């Protein structure tokens, strides 16, 4: 069965976004050691799962071939098929992306039981909280930035679960990657 991995940047106090959804705290430029870690994390991945709101910015940003990103990363982001989870869209306005609605658990379990490599999600906040609350994430990869914002969109709203630390790794840029797996009974 395919795994669903969550890769998300967070503040040290556990927020995906600050007050009013601001992301102005994301100021740490990634270093080569972090880029290599992310490459290894995505080696087994052949599908990206996104929430609609994140997809609206994420997909066009990568299609524009952003400056500062290496060609390998740009190609991987654009060439990897995407599934956009949405209650409001019925068809995809983007290349290489399909829209899935309906029950989140059923959709994710169908994707996980299908053929292929692993799945990865980068969010957004609504999708992440639904995936975590539903116990649908197999690996959590939290990239903790050394900044606190005091409020905003939490990684774990209204969710109480136990996780097992698999690995922790600091990077030269100051970000620390925490790899967790949910404890399942």
């Amino acid at each position: 069965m395919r795994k669903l991995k969550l890769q998300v940047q967070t503040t040290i106090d556990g927020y995906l976004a600050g007050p009013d959804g601001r992301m102005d705290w994301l100021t740490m430029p990634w270093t080569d050691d972090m880029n290599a870690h992310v490459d290894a994390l995505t080696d087994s991945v052949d599908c990206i799962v996104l929430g609609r709101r994140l997809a609206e910015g994420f997909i066009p940003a990568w299609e524009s071939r952003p400056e500062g990103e290496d060609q390998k990363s740009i190609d991987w982001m654009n060439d990897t098929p995407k599934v956009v989870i949405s209650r409001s869209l019925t068809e995809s306005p983007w290349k290489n992306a399909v829209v899935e609605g309906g029950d989140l658990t059923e959709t994710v379990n169908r994707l996980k039981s299908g053929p292929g490599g692993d799945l990865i999600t980068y969010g957004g906040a609504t999708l992440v909280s639904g995936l975590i609350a539903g116990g649908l994430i197999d690996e959590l990869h939290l990239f903790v930035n050394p900044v606190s914002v005091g409020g905003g969109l939490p990684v774990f709203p209204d969710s109480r679960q136990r996780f097992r630390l698999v690995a922790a790794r600091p990077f030269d840029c100051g970000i620390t990657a925490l790899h967790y797996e949910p404890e399942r009974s």
Side-chain angles (χ1 to χ4, degrees), residues 26-173:
L26 284 169
T27 59
M28 303 295 170
W30 287 15
T31 47
D32 290 342
D33 57 340
M34 188 163 167
N35 284 325
H37 180 81
V38 170
D39 288 346
L41 173 63
T42 57
D43 274 347
S44 65
V45 171
D46 67 4
C47 181
I48 300 170
V49 179
L50 301 168
R52 180 202 38 94
R53 278 180 266 166
L54 179 62
E56 289 173 342
F58 181 94
I59 296 172
W62 282 103
E63 286 177 346
S64 73
R65 308 180 113 31
E67 283 186 43
E69 295 293 343
D70 63 86
Q71 192 61 48
K72 179 182 172 193
S73 296
I74 291 170
D75 291 343
W76 188 86
M77 286 294 190
N78 287 322
D79 295 343
T80 302
K82 292 157 197 70
V83 175
V84 178
I85 306 293
S86 176
R87 291 185 190 108
S88 59
L89 291 177
T90 55
E91 60 184 57
S92 174
W94 307 287
K95 296 182 295 185
N96 208 18
V98 297
V99 172
E100 293 281 347
D103 182 77
L104 180 62
T105 300
E106 289 176 16
T107 299
V108 170
N109 284 333
R110 184 174 36 77
L111 290 170
K112 287 169 73 171
S113 65
D118 291 332
L119 309 159
I120 195 163
T121 185
Y122 303 111
T126 302
L127 177 61
V128 168
S129 64
L131 293 169
I132 292 171
L136 300 168
I137 300 289
D138 299 296
E139 295 182 7
L140 289 87
H141 297 271
L142 307 176
F143 291 175
V144 181
N145 287 252
V147 62
S148 65
V149 294
L153 298 171
V155 176
F156 300 97
D158 305 321
S159 180
R160 182 181 174 116
Q161 293 182 29
R162 292 202 169 275
F163 298 91
R164 180 181 66 82
L165 180 64
V166 176
R169 179 172 176 200
F171 298 104
D172 293 340
C173 60

